[in-house]
Amino acid sequence: MSKKTFYISTPIYYPSGKLHIGHSYTTVAADAVSRYKRLKGYDVMFLTGTDEHGQKIQRKAEEKGITPKEYVDEIVSGIKDLWKLMKISNDKFIRTTDEEHVKAVQKIFKKLYDQGDIYKSEYEGWYCTPCESFWTKTQLVDGKCPDCGREVELTKEESYFFRLSKYQDRLIKHIEENPDFIQPVSRQNEMLNNFLRPGLEDIAVSRTTFNWGVPVSFDDKHVVYVWIDALSNYITALGYLSQDDSKFKKYWPADVHLVGKEIVRFHTIIWPAMLMALDLPLPKQVYGHGWLLLEGGKMSKSKGNVVDPQILVDKYGVDAIRYFLLREVPFGSDGVFSNEALINRINSDLANDLGNLVSRTVAMIDKYFGGSIPENRASGEFDSELIELVKETPEKVEELLDKLQFSTALSEIWKAVSRTNKYIDETMPWVLAKDEANSPRLAQVMYNLAESLRIISILIQPFMPETPEKIWNQLGITDRSLVEWEKAKEWGVYPIGARVNKGEVIFPRIDLKKELEEIEKMSGETSETARAVEAEKSKETKKSGKAANGQGAEKQTDGQLADETNANLITIDDFSKVELRVAKVLEAEKVEKADKLLKLQLQVGNEVRQVVSGIAKYYTPEEMVGKTLILVANLKPAKLRGIESQGMILAASDENGLSLVTLDKDMPSGAQVR
């Protein structure tokens, strides 16, 4: 019986410089899905690669005095090394300079031209080289690129065009009939309302102003532009229009394309239209995840505000970085990266919770039973609660991983980790060990700890490739059939007679202050720009200080006072950073020993968010269930009473109390509030 197939891809990255932690985010997510599906028995095709043509590459190569191919070869080599470092298990790495890809792109272009879906005309527009995007004059912001804010060039040239407009109605129909095609739902609504329904225009698919690209086979003045070249990689990598298209027949259509939200339009409008024109099935899903932001905004190679994943992996290990990327940010939402958040997450979840649990368990088995749990065991209080929770976890994790909800899946696993740690405190093995008569009970406690860890270690495999093996070695699990994925659904598998091996602490605690200082030195975060900003801040502080002390306050003009009055005003750009979403309350409960706090489980599109809110004096848990609320979805997660809160719900307050902000008509959860 042949295995079920599963095809997943990342975008192909543009090798104009070193990749940053944001690129790793996408690739690690795809890798986690791939590993999970392999563990489930699927025949997986996991594709990543590089998009190597274009004017920007050509110009950068010219600046260095080398050929474009020499330029990209060096960078691509570094990218491949990074993926090895990050334990990325891709099955294929495609380069758009690969001969097979070039030939297939030429055939695709010719096929579309022959059937009338590509035609020759003339294009005039404003071109942004770094973004590789054309804009109309009305789309420019202050005469500059609306995406990156840089200078644009007026370009007029002969070009081949793809009849994108021809496929507008078919695309709308497909999206409406296949609600899972674009995820999360917010991206679907954006594509429909902002692009498709207002109307599509045909797009230029060739260039004559540079020659670093795939030549148009029947017109050597032209090179194939990025849309046809780069987007085709998902099928050319499988051998489409080649002598051997067996992989294409086997794996296409793709199960999911993972892309950043900034390129969702290309992958859900241009790419599907191309496939329709080629009479090929569309991918089953395109998932547009959010950005990994720095406090200064979106990470960007061109802005220079990037974080080098290699430095982080070298310092903390690949599993810690992978865990942080997938745990810290709900997939689909924007999240903020900071070194402080990373270290706190390592200390809290990995060192204090998982690492400590492994160390305590192995140390106690070694101390109380000489390294091997005896067969004579006796059940007791607290066993059933632990066993029930751990046994329920695998199914929950599978359900969430199938929906690409990595953060929530890890949260469920860590509930099992936390419950197992709590079990130690409840059963107090150190007390049981004082009386020989309690030996059977103590043995059962040790067994429950080891078995819980066995199951937890299986479930973290997609996320953390190295840690499970370390846990198995310390627990003395030598038979790897006992830690296959399906074995996580069975309780009582930990082998009798297994001998534990006290090893190194899996995740040592980190000195936060010391580490932040070292990272700053290593990564060069204190750049000239940063210092200039700080200098400006210092000047402003000094000015305001003088005024506050009455020095020169009498010199203030009405204009200055007006400026101070308006200091709290924000721009539309500031407001656009706030992501407001419709959320529906699934569950609500009071937080123990906190009179003001309710813990809410919110449905936000296809994900479930946990939010802690200080509304318990005004609303009961029963009142909350079923309510539709407004959630600030891109707020940095925080812990209240040790419970993580993934956002904030909106409410109004006055002297009479507090009232939640709701909607006057029903809207789907996840809908964007504008």
Side-chain angles (χ1 to χ4, degrees):
M1 185 177 173
S2 61
K3 292 182 177 180
K4 285 186 181 177
T5 61
F6 186 85
Y7 180 22
I8 186 170
S9 69
T10 71
I12 51 174
Y13 303 112
Y14 201 58
S16 57
K18 287 181 70 175
L19 298 192
H20 55 68
I21 198 74
H23 302 107
S24 297
Y25 178 47
T26 313
T27 314
V28 166
D31 184 69
V33 178
S34 300
R35 290 176 178 274
Y36 162 62
K37 290 294 182 179
R38 292 191 195 102
L39 289 164
K40 288 276 292 177
Y42 283 77
D43 178 350
V44 173
M45 169 57 70
F46 169 20
L47 177 70
T48 189
T50 44
D51 170 16
E52 301 180 14
H53 292 127
Q55 191 172 27
K56 182 164 45 172
I57 295 286
Q58 187 166 324
R59 287 182 177 178
K60 282 182 173 284
E62 288 169 355
E63 288 169 8
K64 286 197 161 193
I66 57 177
T67 67
K69 186 63 164 59
E70 288 172 330
Y71 179 83
V72 293
D73 280 350
E74 183 179 346
I75 295 175
V76 170
S77 176
I79 292 171
K80 288 182 174 181
D81 288 343
L82 176 61
W83 294 157
K84 286 178 185 174
L85 183 70
M86 297 295 295
K87 301 294 181 183
I88 303 302
S89 62
N90 55 289
D91 298 284
K92 186 173 177 68
F93 188 103
I94 188 169
R95 302 179 61 179
T96 55
T97 52
D98 291 340
E99 186 180 352
E100 297 83 359
H101 174 78
V102 170
K103 288 179 179 177
V105 166
Q106 289 178 320
K107 290 177 183 177
I108 290 169
F109 197 97
K110 182 69 163 55
K111 180 178 172 72
L112 295 175
Y113 177 76
D114 288 344
Q115 65 189 43
D117 280 300
I118 286 178
Y119 62 93
K120 186 187 279 190
S121 186
E122 193 173 69
Y123 187 86
E124 182 175 358
W126 297 91
Y127 185 67
C128 175
T129 299
C131 293
E132 294 203 318
S133 295
F134 281 104
W135 306 100
T136 63
K137 192 171 182 178
T138 57
Q139 290 175 312
L140 301 179
V141 178
D142 297 327
K144 296 180 179 179
C145 174
D147 272 358
C148 71
R150 282 169 290 195
E151 299 293 335
V152 292
E153 304 171 31
L154 183 61
T155 301
K156 185 175 183 179
E157 62 179 298
E158 181 185 86
S159 184
Y160 286 93
F161 284 76
F162 173 61
R163 296 188 190 276
L164 185 63
S165 58
K166 174 181 173 181
Y167 296 95
Q168 176 181 316
D169 293 340
R170 280 181 65 183
L171 283 166
I172 293 172
K173 186 172 184 288
H174 181 82
I175 293 168
E176 289 178 342
E177 292 179 353
N178 297 274
D180 291 333
F181 176 57
I182 306 175
Q183 289 295 316
V185 175
S186 57
R187 312 272 187 256
Q188 179 190 115
N189 295 334
E190 184 185 357
M191 294 304 110
L192 285 169
N193 298 331
N194 296 0
F195 298 103
L196 282 161
R197 287 177 179 138
L200 296 177
E201 295 182 357
D202 296 348
I203 56 169
V205 290
S206 75
R207 300 293 308 277
T208 59
T209 53
F210 61 89
N211 57 23
W212 178 237
V214 177
V216 174
S217 60
F218 53 89
D219 192 341
D220 58 10
K221 286 196 307 180
H222 291 255
V223 294
V224 179
Y225 189 48
V226 60
W227 312 129
I228 304 288
D229 181 8
L231 289 169
S232 295
N233 90 89
Y234 304 114
I235 54 178
T236 64
L238 302 178
Y240 177 69
L241 295 182
S242 73
Q243 289 185 332
D244 181 6
D245 63 354
S246 57
K247 286 186 177 179
F248 177 76
K249 291 174 179 175
K250 183 178 184 181
Y251 293 108
W252 191 259
D255 290 272
V256 61
H257 293 317
L258 288 189
V259 299
K261 66 180 183 181
E262 75 279 11
I263 54 173
V264 167
R265 176 167 65 94
F266 311 140
H267 285 80
T268 59
I269 296 176
I270 299 174
W271 174 227
M274 285 169 53
L275 290 168
M276 287 176 176
L278 293 169
D279 197 26
L280 294 175
L282 271 56
K284 297 172 188 176
Q285 187 175 91
V286 179
Y287 198 106
H289 65 75
W291 288 335
L292 201 57
L293 305 168
L294 294 175
E295 291 180 348
K298 179 177 177 283
M299 231 177 280
S300 164
K301 287 182 288 186
S302 54
K303 289 182 181 178
N305 63 339
V306 301
V307 177
D308 189 342
Q310 186 159 353
I311 291 174
L312 298 176
V313 171
D314 288 344
K315 284 188 72 66
Y316 308 117
V318 64
D319 278 12
I321 304 306
R322 287 174 60 112
Y323 176 82
F324 174 82
L325 290 173
L326 297 174
R327 178 69 179 87
E328 187 74 5
V329 184
F331 204 62
S333 303
D334 289 345
V336 177
F337 175 90
S338 73
N339 291 311
E340 186 172 354
L342 168 63
I343 295 167
N344 283 334
R345 181 69 74 177
I346 292 172
N347 281 343
S348 171
D349 294 12
L350 300 181
N352 291 358
D353 292 347
L354 181 60
N356 193 37
L357 177 60
V358 174
S359 295
R360 291 172 82 188
T361 299
V362 171
M364 288 189 293
I365 294 172
D366 186 64
K367 180 179 179 180
Y368 301 141
F369 297 109
S372 185
I373 303 169
E375 291 189 51
N376 184 23
R377 304 193 299 271
S379 299
E381 192 180 6
F382 308 113
D383 289 7
S384 59
E385 290 178 34
L386 172 69
I387 294 169
E388 185 178 348
L389 186 142
V390 173
K391 284 173 69 175
E392 290 174 350
T393 303
E395 189 174 331
K396 291 180 179 178
V397 170
E398 286 191 351
E399 186 179 337
L400 290 162
L401 282 178
D402 286 335
K403 297 177 182 176
L404 306 183
Q405 296 305 311
F406 308 105
S407 179
T408 315
L410 281 166
S411 177
E412 288 296 332
I413 297 171
W414 251 252
K415 285 179 183 177
V417 173
S418 298
R419 187 63 189 85
T420 310
N421 273 313
K422 184 182 177 184
Y423 178 75
I424 295 175
D425 298 332
E426 291 171 333
T427 55
M428 297 185 286
W430 51 91
V431 175
L432 293 172
K434 291 178 180 179
D435 188 345
E436 183 64 31
N438 295 327
S439 181
R441 177 60 187 142
L442 180 60
Q444 186 63 56
V445 169
M446 294 298 106
Y447 186 87
N448 290 344
L449 294 175
E451 179 65 347
S452 296
L453 271 173
R454 182 190 67 85
I455 292 171
I456 290 164
S457 69
I458 295 171
L459 298 179
I460 64 173
Q461 287 180 94
F463 313 95
M464 306 165 74
E466 293 185 342
T467 302
E469 189 80 29
K470 294 177 181 178
I471 295 173
W472 302 335
N473 289 339
Q474 293 207 26
L475 289 176
I477 300 174
T478 55
D479 183 355
R480 294 298 184 258
S481 70
L482 304 180
V483 286
E484 293 174 352
W485 187 261
E486 292 303 313
K487 289 292 184 180
K489 300 170 185 177
E490 298 179 29
W491 181 270
V493 175
Y494 183 70
I496 302 299
R499 183 163 293 278
V500 300
N501 305 289
K502 289 175 72 176
E504 293 182 359
V505 175
I506 295 176
F507 294 104
R509 276 192 61 81
I510 300 164
D511 184 319
L512 179 63
K513 185 179 178 182
K514 183 179 176 184
E515 283 297 310
L516 290 177
E517 289 173 355
E518 285 188 21
I519 290 171
E520 189 168 317
K521 290 176 186 174
M522 290 178 66
S523 57
E525 288 179 349
T526 312
S527 62
E528 290 297 325
T529 304
R531 284 197 289 271
V533 170
E534 288 301 315
E536 284 298 313
K537 284 182 180 177
S538 180
K539 287 179 187 176
E540 292 301 316
T541 302
K542 287 176 182 176
K543 286 179 184 177
S544 57
K546 284 179 181 179
N549 290 321
Q551 299 173 20
E554 71 280 0
K555 295 181 181 179
Q556 287 181 324
T557 65
D558 289 343
Q560 286 174 313
L561 290 170
D563 286 342
E564 289 187 10
T565 303
N566 293 332
N568 290 326
L569 295 178
I570 64 172
T571 67
I572 189 65
D573 291 333
D574 295 323
F575 179 74
S576 67
K577 294 176 183 177
V578 182
E579 185 180 340
L580 300 176
R581 298 285 178 187
V582 174
K584 294 190 177 180
V585 183
L586 301 176
E587 300 174 20
E589 61 180 288
K590 284 190 173 182
V591 176
E592 290 183 18
K593 300 178 182 179
D595 295 338
K596 297 180 180 179
L597 300 181
L598 289 184
K599 183 171 71 173
L600 310 174
Q601 302 299 324
L602 306 178
Q603 183 76 47
V604 188
N606 287 330
E607 66 171 305
V608 177
R609 292 276 197 100
Q610 178 173 280
V611 170
V612 180
S613 180
I615 58 173
K617 287 189 174 182
Y618 308 98
Y619 295 90
T620 66
E622 293 75 23
E623 287 178 294
M624 291 300 298
V625 175
K627 282 188 179 294
T628 300
L629 310 173
I630 306 300
L631 174 73
V632 181
N634 62 337
L635 195 66
K636 184 178 179 181
K639 282 195 174 181
L640 300 173
R641 294 293 180 98
I643 303 169
E644 184 172 65
S645 183
Q646 301 170 328
M648 180 176 71
I649 57 174
L650 298 188
S653 64
D654 60 15
E655 65 274 8
N656 298 316
L658 179 146
S659 177
L660 292 167
V661 176
T662 57
L663 301 175
D664 63 355
K665 67 177 184 179
D666 192 41
M667 293 287 288
S669 71
Q672 190 168 2
V673 180
R674 303 179 185 276

